[in-house]
Amino acid sequence: TVCEHVVTVTTPGDCVDVVVTDYGTAVNPARKDIIEALDKAGIKHVPIKELQEKDTVIYHGHVSDIAEIHAISACTVHPTYYPEGMSNVLLESCACGRPIITTDRPGCREAVDDGVNGFIVRQKDSADLIEKLEAFLALPRERRREMGLAGRAKVEREFDREIVIRKYMQEIEEAGHEL
C-alpha cells in the first residue's frame, strides 16, 4: 500500500504511528485544508517540521512500501472520523501483526476487538485517544506482541480473500434470485 503522509513518534524503544503532543496536533504544512479546519475548530496545531527539529517525530512523507513502517512500529493508530469504508490501513496493520488503535466508526471498529488486538476510541475525543495510547504504551512488550498476533489471527479468520469472495458471490446469487 502507498501512504501519502506517514508520521512516527519516537518513544523509548518504539515508534508509534501517531502525533499527539503537548504542543497540539502536528500537521504537514502542505495540507492547508487540514490546517484551516483545525483553525476553524480552535484546535492548536504545530508544523511537523517544528516537531522534527525537536526530534519528537519522524516525518516519512510519501511511503511506497508501508511494510517498512510496520517493521519499525509497535502499533498503528488511525483515529479517523471521516467515512472510511473498510480500512485497508487497519487490515494491513493487523496482517503485519501490529496492534491497532482506531475510532469507533463503521469500517474501523470491525477490524478491532477492543482490548484483544487493539483499542477503540471515541470519535473526536482526544482525551480518550490519549488514554488508550498511554494504556498501550504501559503494556509489557509480550502483551503488545500477543495483541499483534491476535490481530493477525482475526484478519486470517474474518477477512481472508476467499472468505470475502465467497460472501460477495453469495450476495450476488441471492440478489439474482430476487430479480
Side-chain angles (χ1 to χ4, degrees), residues 106-159:
C108 296
R109 72 172 71 100
E110 292 81 1
V112 64
D113 294 327
D114 197 31
V116 177
N117 69 317
F119 296 106
I120 294 177
V121 299
R122 291 183 297 274
Q123 289 185 66
K124 298 183 180 183
D125 188 335
S126 58
D128 190 36
L129 175 60
I130 291 167
E131 180 182 311
K132 299 298 179 12
L133 286 167
E134 289 175 343
F136 176 79
L137 292 171
L139 293 173
R141 186 173 300 275
E142 181 58 24
R143 178 67 187 112
R144 293 181 193 183
R145 191 180 79 72
E146 290 168 2
M147 288 180 101
L149 293 174
R152 172 68 188 202
K154 180 177 179 65
V155 167
E156 289 174 347
R157 184 177 63 249
E158 298 176 26
F159 298 101

Side-chain angles (χ1 to χ4, degrees), residues 57 111-112 173:
V57 302
V112 64
E173 286 177 20

